[in-house]
């Protein structure tokens, strides 16, 4: 007799499609039998691990047989001071992904729905679906989140709203005034999560963190991560800033030791490494210009981005282009899953990585010469 274990799973879980990450460099090199592939596919920090973080991690190894500090005392104190909030407003997560999941677990069941935008970061849908809750996906406007339409989508079952600002994979952002206008319309019993994973990079006029609105709107939750501008993606540290009562809920359901000792130490150290952060932002700004100039020379349209990545539209068969880039050792990210089948998302890398991507892409599009000179042939 066949045993249908799938039918035993929770209804939400039965229909869940696992998250698809970027292809690891090692995997591509193994498949093609090549060396020197580059990965511009997961919005990772091209500077690599900060030496300050590395040192801090090494220092924790001596206590490697002990459990971590389950309360993340020092990291919370430092974050609280930096953000001018109280430590009891903080929830640490194994990446901010963990915190997003905790929000769904703490506040949603089959009775509820959560609102987010078309093209929004896919983790919202995964977290909501796993709870057996309903997703209300609001059509995007010019690729970006339409906060007015999102407010209009609220019904009596709505418990959560997720807004990625800036959003991944579109790179779009909303101004702080627009966030505030939304908060004015949302009743207190709907938790509004502003996911600021790319906050450190976003320098557009009108953009600001929603943190400044938290005193006025206690149903606001801001999430941040150490994975992007701070370069700790492998260590998994993120956090939520919220009303203390919301933090209390999240802290009840998190695993007791959800942040390991190395991650705690690295995050604490990198908060003091202003030089690393400055360099991250600087290399990103320059890489953005480099890629944008390249796209313009190749006649490609792209979505202006506030993050460390750009969604670029590929003429013809986008999936085939992704494959051909892979064959040349360049990993980017197809985003058909985000209802963007004609775009590829490319993370901003080191100058030489950006150039290699542009050269290979240009070649595949039929531009013969290197684009180094600024002239497309
Ligand atoms: C990368 C990303 C995150 C979280 O990443 P973690 O590594 O889990 O902290 C959250 N939100 C968005 C929009 C992201 O792109």
């Amino acid at each position: 007799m066949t045993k249908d274990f799938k039918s035993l799973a929770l209804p939400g879980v039965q229909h869940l499609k696992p998250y698809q990450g970027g292809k690891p460099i090692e995997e591509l090199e193994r498949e093609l039998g090549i060396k020197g592939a580059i990965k511009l596919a997961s919005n990772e920090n091209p500077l690599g691990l900060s030496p300050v973080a590395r040192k801090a991690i090494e220092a924790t190894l001596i206590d490697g047989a002990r459990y971590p500090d389950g309360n993340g005392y020092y990291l919370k104190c430092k974050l609280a001071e930096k953000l001018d909030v109280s430590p009891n407003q903080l929830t640490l997560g194994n990446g901010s992904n963990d915190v997003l999941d905790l929000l769904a677990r703490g506040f949603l069941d089959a009775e509820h729905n959560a609102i987010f935008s078309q093209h929004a970061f896919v983790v919202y849908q995964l977290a909501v679906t796993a709870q057996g809750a309903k997703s209300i996906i609001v059509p995007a406007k010019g690729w970006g989140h339409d906060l007015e339409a999102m407010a209009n989508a609220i019904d009596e079952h709505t418990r959560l709203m997720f807004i990625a600002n800036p959003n991944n994979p579109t790179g779009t952002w909303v101004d702080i005034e627009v966030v505030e206008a939304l908060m004015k319309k949302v009743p207190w019993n709907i938790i509004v999560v502003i996911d600021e994973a790319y906050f450190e990079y976003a320098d557009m006029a009108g953009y600001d963190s929603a943190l400044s609105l938290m005193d006025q709107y206690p149903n606001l939750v801001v999430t941040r991560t150490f994975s992007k501008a701070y370069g700790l993606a492998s260590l998994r540290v993120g956090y939520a800033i919220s009303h203390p009562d919301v933090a209390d809920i999240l802290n009840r359901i998190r695993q007791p030791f959800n942040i390991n000792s190395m991650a705690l130490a690295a995050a604490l150290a990198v908060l003091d490494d202003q030089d690393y952060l400055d360099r991250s932002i600087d290399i990103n700004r320059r890489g953005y210009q480099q890629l944008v100039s390249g796209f313009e020379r190749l006649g490609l349209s792209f979505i202006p981005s506030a993050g460390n990545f750009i969604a670029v539209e590929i003429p013809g068969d986008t999936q085939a282009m992704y494959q051909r880039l892979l064959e040349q050792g360049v990993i980017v990210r197809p985003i058909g899953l985000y209802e963007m089948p004609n775009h590829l998302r490319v993370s901003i890398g080191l100058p030489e990585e950006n150039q290699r991507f542009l050269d290979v892409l240009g070649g595949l599009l039929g531009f013969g010469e290197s684009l180094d000179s600024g002239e497309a042939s």
Side-chain angles (χ1 to χ4, degrees), residues 216-272:
Q216 222 176 325
Y217 302 100
N219 54 329
L220 197 55
V221 177
V222 171
T223 64
R224 299 260 181 96
T225 181
F226 285 91
S227 297
K228 311 283 162 60
Y230 286 103
L232 300 182
S234 75
L235 288 144
R236 319 300 304 127
V237 202
Y239 57 96
I241 311 142
S242 68
H243 187 278
D245 293 351
V246 173
D248 176 51
I249 302 287
L250 302 180
N251 276 297
R252 284 182 205 189
I253 53 176
R254 71 176 173 84
Q255 289 179 32
F257 302 106
N258 61 335
I259 330 287
N260 69 69
S261 303
M262 289 181 276
L264 284 172
L268 191 65
V270 90
L271 281 175
D272 279 335

Side-chain angles (χ1 to χ4, degrees), residues 142-179:
W143 302 113
H145 293 11
D146 182 349
L147 268 51
E148 212 174 303
M150 290 173 78
N152 292 335
I154 290 172
D155 67 25
E156 71 270 30
H157 302 292
T158 305
R159 257 305 146 70
L160 277 178
M161 287 177 102
F162 288 103
I163 294 163
N165 196 25
N167 182 48
N168 169 20
T170 56
T172 51
W173 68 96
V174 288
D175 288 350
I176 186 71
E177 281 170 42
V178 179
V179 176

